Amino acid sequence: MIKFLDLRKVTDLHGAEIEEAVMRTVKSGWYLLGEETNAFEREYAAYIGTRHAVGCANGLDALTLILRAYMEMGLMHTGDEIIVPSNTYIASILAISRNGLVPVLAEPDPTTCQISSDEIEKNITPKTKGVMIVHLYGRCAYTDRIGEICASNNLKLIEDNAQAHGCIFHGKRTGSLGDAAGHSFYPGKNLGALGDGGAVTTDDTTLADTIRALANYGSQKKYIFKYKGINSRLDEIQAAVLRAKLPHLDDDNFRRKEIARKYMEGITNPAIKIPEIKDWDSNVFHVFPVFTDHRDQLQNYLSEHDIQTLIHYPIPPHRQECYKEWSAKSFPISERLHATELSLPISPCLTSEEADTVISTLNRWGWN
Ligand SMILES: *Cc1c(COP(=O)(O)O)cnc(C)c1O
């Protein structure tokens, strides 16, 4: 059985260092808001290339806290609009609505699956206060054009970097390209903890301080509460695990790239479309998506051949029950991507033999 992602093997890859980190923390007697978290925040900020990194409980909280902080800073208000791609994981959108802000969905470019700058521009209204781009599948969604649109319309540019740790755009890491970025360390991400974890990166000191307070019950000073905050902390054990894994992230991403190249060169079945990949240098291949009109048949076929795949994602956000207010809306590009996408196994632990098996199995597929 070739698993989509074998987390046991991913952990074993750096097992000794992770064990040392966990036991060091267990024995320290200090489990929250301590040296491991401080050190990880410093190391992660240095890696991403921002002045600040603030740890928090998960990626959804990271994105939520950014917007909440902008509201507390008086830069956004209830009912203001944030433009977000129509083809993203639901968490990007939940972070907006959770704050009483209005998500405005914008279609992606079908060739890159990333939010289209033209669609961003079309959706700007007097109420628009920000744009959340999502580096979906591990590829950079930022373009200079998007930067210009945000600057000239005075919009905050927020990056959802949950899927793209390590991705580089013209020498700068994603997570340092906009005003603030939310990161997730969910175990399956390129930089994953052994549980939940998240962080915000930013150069904006006021924003970082506000987020730090909001995530700590709204307090900057013990027992003094400035905001109606929440409790959202990265715990010490997860911070220690992330510190053990961070130095290997670029190598692990390079291995993903090798697998991606094999797939790209090896898959020749004309019924399976792989969008042209122009961003080999920056792409960190969180997901390797292929597209076919007979997606469910292909997934079943692979499953019969002991190859596990996932769909990112089966139902578009505007078709989800939680956003039934959008049920009459139509986002044809997003709908088509959701109906045809299939994600092949990819991870730093997938062997070349396993990748070859995936390729030859795909090339033998005749859908009818
Ligand atoms: C995983 C993910 C999130 C949420 O991260 P959690 O840590 O699971 O809350 C947000 N956005 C995207 C694009 C993701 O893939």
Side-chain angles (χ1 to χ4, degrees), residues 86 104-108 123 316 318-319 326 329-336:
S86 54
V104 173
L105 305 185
E107 285 267 66
N123 279 289
H318 66 285
R319 292 279 177 262
W326 293 336
K329 292 195 185 225
S330 147
F331 296 95
I333 298 171
S334 181
E335 280 156 32
R336 182 150 174 78

Side-chain angles (χ1 to χ4, degrees), residues 4 137 256-257 259-265 267 273-275 277 280 285-291 310 312 341-346 362:
F4 177 74
Y137 302 151
R256 286 174 181 269
K257 194 173 298 187
I259 305 281
R261 255 194 214 286
K262 263 180 130 10
Y263 283 158
M264 193 73 199
E265 284 161 11
I267 300 167
K273 286 183 215 66
I274 306 177
I277 299 172
W280 281 101
F285 295 98
H286 175 62
V287 162
F288 191 92
V290 298
F291 297 86
L310 290 182
H312 293 95
E341 195 274 350
L342 189 69
S343 303
L344 302 183
I346 192 161
L362 283 171

